[in-house]
Amino acid sequence: MNYYAGVDSGSWTTKAAVIDGEGHVLGTAVTRSGADLTAAAERAYEMVLANSGRTRADIEAVWSTGFGRNTIPFADGSRTELDCHGRGVAHYIKGPLVVVDIGGQDAKVIRLDAAGHRLSHRMNRKCAAGTGSFLDEIALRLGIDIGDLNALGRGATENLELSSFCTVFAGTELLTLIRSGKRPADLAMAAYRSLVKRIVAMDVLEGRIAPTGGVVAYHPIMVELIGAACRGEVVVPPHPQEIGAFGAALAALAACETQDIADTSDTAELVQP
Amino acid sequence: MSELTSTTALRATMDAYYRSLADAALRKTAPVAWCTSVGPAELLRALGFAVHFPENHAAIMGAARTANRYLPLAHAQGYSQDICSYLTSDIGAYLAGESPLEAYGLERAPAPDVLVFNTNQCRDVRDWFEWYGRELGVPVLGLHSPRAIDDVTESDIDAVTMQLEALVAPLEQVAGTRLDDARLRAAMRASRDTAGLWGACLETASARPAPLTFFDGSVHMGPAVVLRGSDDAPAYYRTLLAELEQRVENRVGAVPAETLRLYWDGMPVWGRLRALSTMFAEFRTAVVASTYCNSWAFSGLDPAEPWRSVARALLELFIARSEAPKERYIARMVEFYDVDGVIFHDCRTCSNNSNTRYGMPGRITERLGIPTLVLDGDVNDLRCFSDEQARTNIEGFVEQLTDARAATSARGSR
């Protein structure tokens, strides 16, 4: 049996996945990216090999994706995160669909056709509003751990609005609301709603919508809010945070299969590299 | 990527232009007029002015990546970060007492005797020139062209023709000479030839592989912008055209192993021109044509009818038109150059050159069935451009187009 790996080098976290030749996930791993993306990729790869009970010698090919995809020396190839998120989601969910990936420092909307081919993509402008960094800033202002923000938001009773577009100014606005006696639970929920407003403004979200990324994995409240704000069916794929790494592993598998055909076919010129 | 050998002639042509400008400013060999890039340059040349184009001046700062040094100085004067970064870098450089033309002995942009704008492209050019008018006590004249035009009508042409004719008397006064009809017709002939030859150069990119890209064009368009009305421009474009035709004949592409072809709408990102050119080449993708470079391939300039034909040419420009003719234009370009996709540069500080803000990319995709990509950036302010985000956007677009082609090919081979 051959095995394939993918490493998604994100700005905030590095994810890795190992799959078998049929696309089944054997293991995943997540680690902080920090300043040294190459070291984080090595760490994530070692972690995922341990989690999946494999060694480097078992892996036929490793492909990289994400912000740091070109900084991973052991990668055999790379695809953008636009490709890998789409590829990963399309493996589980039938198209046409709209993938909404909310990462630590950017957000993307990726449209796929019925066959899972990419039709278009949009990325957030050069600004942290509409990304996980916004929630980090809010948690910091509320003086809580980011991991507790979702549970806090669940206790909201008042429908508050954060009006600022800017992450930093939203933090200042939050302080004003705290001073005026507003409850932290209502402020946490206001932050989630603000984030969703930015996301739904990126593209028309309708039909089958698949949210992915770390924000979705750790803040399930976001899935509910996206569902409430859109006209469509919201379906979260398995392991939404590692879906890009999974997509990169699928790309590695596809490249090896194409290579096999190219090596054996009489009509190799018909196969696109 | 091999550089065009005509680049040597280009450098000599531009060098001679900047020297003559410096001579006019420093040794008073001619009166100096500043003109917007699609203003009445032929009239100014016919009156004997040395013509300086502040947009060209600002583009040099953008390409040299010095613009960001000057922008804060203009912002501090109350000129917003959201308005034209050509304007703010140019005024900032003036306030710093610097100029990219220092090599020609100019410590600042050449001191003007008159400033002449045309609002066919935007209002910012007027505000830009009026700042200098106040600062230097120099007359500011202009054409107040209509904008967002559907079809150019005779009454539009009448209005601009009358304004052009009204410029003559005050310009004659500054120049200290009368307008000579023969000189005006000669300037018109030179402009007509420049526009025709430049257009022919750009059209060679319809060949596969394309002998030049948008990035080459952004550099080689220099004479078409700053030497309108001068015989130096057609002389240069004859040289360039010959080289491009030779490339076509020999099937030499600007991008090695050209695989994909794209159209670029919007301004260049001057500070990343080479980086983007290299990146697209790495992806075996040729950006074969652009709205921007084509904007100086004016049509219909006629020496026998100088006033009305200039008025018509300046009104028919892409930037002066409404969404419907702009979309028709891009549709013609997509077909002529046979491109796989269209990139729209959303230039943060130039709404007039950003055709992304009223839904056009989506309409183009729907109408032509061609993928589009919106790239965030700016013409001069590099703080508005993210290298990493741009790379992911472009690489992702190339992946999308390549996969679509492979899928089509696979279907066809079944």
Side-chain angles (χ1 to χ4, degrees), chain A residues 66-67 69-70 78-84 87 105-108 117-127 270 272-273, chain B residues 284 346 348 357 371 373 376 382-386 388-389 391-393 395-397 399-400 402-403 405-407 409 411 413:
Chain A
F67 161 76
R69 62 189 175 280
N70 297 318
S78 73
R79 300 286 286 186
T80 65
E81 54 269 43
L82 298 158
D83 176 271
C84 291
R87 197 182 283 262
Q105 289 187 10
D106 69 8
K108 305 172 199 77
H117 295 132
R118 189 144 41 100
L119 294 171
S120 68
H121 71 261
R122 290 195 185 170
M123 295 173 70
N124 62 315
R125 296 179 71 101
K126 205 181 69 168
C127 169
L270 296 176
Q272 296 294 315
Chain B
R284 298 195 297 177
D346 189 319
R348 172 70 179 264
R357 301 180 185 182
L373 174 73
D376 290 319
L382 287 178
R383 294 170 299 183
C384 305
F385 183 79
S386 161
E388 280 305 327
Q389 201 176 49
R391 186 176 178 92
T392 297
N393 245 325
E395 191 174 340
F397 193 50
E399 285 173 348
Q400 177 190 334
T402 306
D403 290 350
R405 182 178 286 187
S409 169
R411 276 196 298 273
S413 65

Side-chain angles (χ1 to χ4, degrees), chain B residues 221-232:
Chain B
M221 65 190 259
V225 177
V226 301
L227 284 166
R228 270 169 52 211
S230 156
D231 289 329
D232 293 344

Side-chain angles (χ1 to χ4, degrees), chain B residues 58-122:
Chain B
I60 302 172
M61 295 179 229
R65 293 189 285 280
T66 56
N68 279 77
R69 238 193 263 163
Y70 306 128
L71 293 167
L73 298 174
H75 297 154
Q77 298 285 317
Y79 283 74
S80 164
Q81 294 182 44
D82 296 323
I83 65 164
C84 174
S85 61
Y86 268 1
L87 179 163
T88 43
S89 43
D90 186 66
I91 289 177
Y94 176 88
L95 292 168
E98 295 178 10
S99 165
L101 301 181
E102 199 181 350
Y104 299 94
L106 290 164
E107 288 177 4
R108 281 181 166 158
D113 296 292
V114 66
L115 307 159
V116 187
F117 64 81
N118 187 350
T119 61
N120 53 354
Q121 52 185 326
C122 63

Side-chain angles (χ1 to χ4, degrees), chain B residues 208-255:
Chain B
R208 281 178 185 267
L212 89 165
T213 67
F214 157 65
F215 305 104
D216 301 319
S218 297
V219 174
H220 287 266
M221 65 190 259
V225 177
V226 301
L227 284 166
R228 270 169 52 211
S230 156
D231 289 329
D232 293 344
Y236 169 66
Y237 287 117
R238 282 188 195 96
T239 304
L240 178 62
L241 183 58
E243 183 180 3
L244 293 171
E245 286 173 340
Q246 192 64 55
R247 275 192 170 193
V248 172
E249 196 178 319
N250 297 340
R251 297 183 56 78
V252 174
V255 168

Side-chain angles (χ1 to χ4, degrees), chain A residues 22-266:
Chain A
E22 290 171 349
H24 299 123
V25 175
L26 275 72
T28 64
V30 180
T31 185
R32 278 291 170 101
S33 295
D36 187 343
L37 296 180
T38 306
E42 284 282 358
R43 202 164 55 243
Y45 192 34
E46 287 300 329
M47 286 164 67
V48 79
L49 288 171
N51 292 348
S52 56
R54 307 290 148 192
T55 66
R56 287 186 184 233
D58 297 329
I59 305 298
E60 183 81 6
V62 188
W63 277 47
S64 64
T65 188
F67 161 76
R69 62 189 175 280
N70 297 318
T71 64
I72 302 174
F74 58 84
D76 299 299
S78 73
R79 300 286 286 186
T80 65
E81 54 269 43
L82 298 158
D83 176 271
C84 291
H85 276 83
R87 197 182 283 262
V89 174
H91 183 82
Y92 292 117
I93 305 169
K94 186 169 165 37
L97 56 90
V98 185
V99 178
V100 179
D101 176 57
I102 312 169
Q105 289 187 10
D106 69 8
K108 305 172 199 77
V109 176
I110 305 158
R111 289 187 173 281
L112 304 177
D113 67 13
H117 295 132
R118 189 144 41 100
L119 294 171
S120 68
H121 71 261
R122 290 195 185 170
M123 295 173 70
N124 62 315
R125 296 179 71 101
K126 205 181 69 168
C127 169
T131 74
S133 295
F134 176 75
L135 295 179
D136 284 323
E137 175 72 17
I138 297 301
L140 185 72
R141 298 287 182 169
L142 291 174
I144 63 165
D145 188 88
I146 182 70
D148 298 329
L149 194 67
N150 191 76
L152 182 64
R154 294 270 180 219
T157 54
E158 188 181 355
N159 194 355
L160 291 182
E161 288 277 336
L162 286 180
S163 59
S164 179
F165 267 154
C166 168
T167 299
V168 177
F169 289 169
T172 313
E173 192 180 345
L174 206 68
L175 290 178
T176 307
L177 290 167
I178 291 169
R179 277 200 302 275
S180 70
K182 297 299 179 188
R183 296 171 60 238
D186 296 324
L187 296 171
M189 193 59 162
Y192 283 122
R193 274 198 297 268
S194 171
L195 186 50
V196 168
K197 271 188 191 169
R198 293 290 293 205
I199 299 295
V200 300
M202 288 177 68
D203 204 342
V204 178
L205 302 186
E206 55 190 18
R208 190 168 292 153
I209 300 155
T212 65
V215 169
V216 168
Y218 296 109
H219 306 267
I221 209 165
M222 283 291 294
V223 177
E224 295 158 33
L225 291 173
I226 290 171
C230 302
R231 284 172 298 176
E233 173 200 7
V234 177
V235 188
V236 182
H239 42 84
Q241 186 178 19
E242 300 95 329
I243 200 81
F246 171 62
L250 289 174
L253 166 61
C256 288
E257 284 178 343
T258 304
Q259 188 59 47
D260 287 345
I261 296 167
D263 288 346
T264 56
S265 171
D266 292 330

